[in-house]
Amino acid sequence: MPLLKSGQIVEDTWLYIDNEQDVPANGDVVVSLDRWLSEGDLLKLREGKLGLRLKNDQSPAQVADDLDEFDIFVLEFPKYTDGRAYSAARLLRDRYGFKGEVRASGDVLIDQYGMMQRCGFNAYEISEEG
C-alpha cells in the first residue's frame, strides 16, 4: 500500500504482523495491542524497530508506560466518519510527548489531511483504489 510521508509517496518498510503470524527475529514490525500485551517482554528482545497498531476503540493510555519501546503508532480509521483516532493521535503527541511516526490507516480521505496533521499524524496509508 502506498504511503504518504513528508508530502511524498515513499516505500513502506514496516512489516505488519497478524496475531497468528510468527514474529521474525529481526526487521521492523508492527504488532497489535493484544500481541504487545501478551508478548511484550519477548518483543523487546528482538532486533529491529517495533511499532504498535491501535484499533479505534483502543487508547494509547494502555501503553503509556511503554512509549519508549515504539518507533511508530498506526491508528486505524475503520470509517472516515469515526474520529476516535484523532483523539489517540492528540494523546500521543500532547499528553505523552511521543516523537515518532503516527500513521493513519484505513478509510482516510484527502479532505481529512489538514485536520490529521493538526492532530499529530505525519504519515498516511493511501488506498490503491483512489
Side-chain angles (χ1 to χ4, degrees), residues 18-72:
D18 290 332
N19 287 340
E20 301 78 34
Q21 285 180 284
D22 290 335
V23 178
N26 52 41
D28 301 341
V29 298
V30 176
V31 298
S32 70
L33 177 62
D34 292 338
R35 189 87 180 240
W36 172 254
L37 293 176
S38 65
E39 300 175 30
D41 290 337
L42 292 173
L43 292 167
K44 290 178 188 180
L45 299 175
R46 53 179 305 286
E47 296 288 327
K49 295 178 183 176
L50 184 62
L52 189 65
R53 185 174 193 99
L54 294 178
K55 296 179 182 179
N56 64 329
D57 62 349
Q58 296 173 325
S59 173
Q62 294 176 268
V63 293
D65 293 335
D66 298 322
L67 287 185
D68 58 340
E69 300 293 337
F70 305 110
D71 294 283
I72 179 178

